[in-house]
Amino acid sequence: MLARRRPAGPGPTALLLVALLAAEARASWLIRRPLSPSGPELRQAARAALHFFNYRAASPSTVRVLKEVLNGTALIREEGENIKVAFSIESYRTENSQLGTCSALVGFKDHKSRPTVNISCTPLLDQKERKKEDYKLYKQIKQLETPPFETTIPGKLGDMDPSLQPLWELAMIGNSFLMWEKTTSTSSYYYVQQITNIKKWIRPDDFIILHYRLLLHEFRTQEIISCHLHLVWHPEKPSKTQYHCQDSGTQENGSGNSEGSGFL
Ligand SMILES: *[C@@H]1O[C@H](CO)[C@@H](O)[C@H](O)[C@H]1NC(C)=O
Ligand SMILES: *[C@@H]1O[C@H](CO)[C@@H](O)[C@H](O)[C@H]1NC(C)=O
Ligand SMILES: *[C@@H]1O[C@H](CO)[C@@H](O)[C@H](O)[C@H]1NC(C)=O
């Protein structure tokens, strides 16, 4: 008598098990990939996170700049890639150059701009001191005569007229918003080259309105991008930024609100 051959391949029970395991794997599918602190991915994520932080905090006296990437990991899921990154920062103001750290989770989606950011940073100043500094800047800007329309900050030779520094510092809030919105996982990065054509006025509700033209320098293409920004700011209230950019034939508009001091 011939022995009956078993059917080839896995039986129904094994198939069910495989299906269950696959479903399980899909639900919690996550790959962690450590990234080099000196590599471009972490730097790009840190820049995006910091632009976001500076705009959301809307505190011109405590604007932060990236110092060094400390560590980070790519968290790759089916929905996209998140980058977890820790980095050190220093205060943009050189006279009270302080150090701190930030840690952030940055989500880049399909090379689209405006990454999602969850970030926390150590405070540079305590709350009272920061408020005092922001108010000082607010008063300086209120009293400042609007400079002639053709004035550029910095000046033509890259020099910073100290009386115009408060305008430059305030503009960093709007600039940060724009740079955050323009950042993708693979895009180049931007330098603020100059602001010019500044108009400034005080709204009846005491908000400062700053309207200006921004020249952004894109590092990789060496392109200069020209944008008009409109920033509405008060040291203790949510601020608002709107922009309109025109680069190589394309136009972009955007707007967003910050949470003001409540975010810090
Ligand atoms: C990354 O650096 C931060 C800040 O120094 C530190 O708190 C954190 O533990 C580090 N993470 C890893 C995974 O090394
Ligand atoms: C952001 O990070 C904080 C602290 O790590 C965490 O408690 C919070 O749930 C995060 N929020 C989101 C939306 O991921
Ligand atoms: C952007 O805003 C400007 C000025 O408000 C407007 O003229 C232009 O049509 C807008 N462009 C787009 C693409 O929305």
Side-chain angles (χ1 to χ4, degrees), residues 204-223:
D205 58 4
D206 271 349
F207 275 83
I208 291 175
I209 314 288
L210 197 65
H211 193 94
Y212 59 100
R213 181 163 165 236
L214 165 69
L215 298 182
L216 268 190
H217 182 183
E218 205 224 11
F219 186 77
R220 189 167 51 204
T221 59
Q222 297 288 311
E223 206 182 330

Side-chain angles (χ1 to χ4, degrees), residues 21-30 77-79:
L21 283 173
E24 172 80 2
R26 250 201 317 278
S28 58
W29 187 76
L30 168 70
R77 288 192 179 85
E78 198 166 16
E79 315 84 85

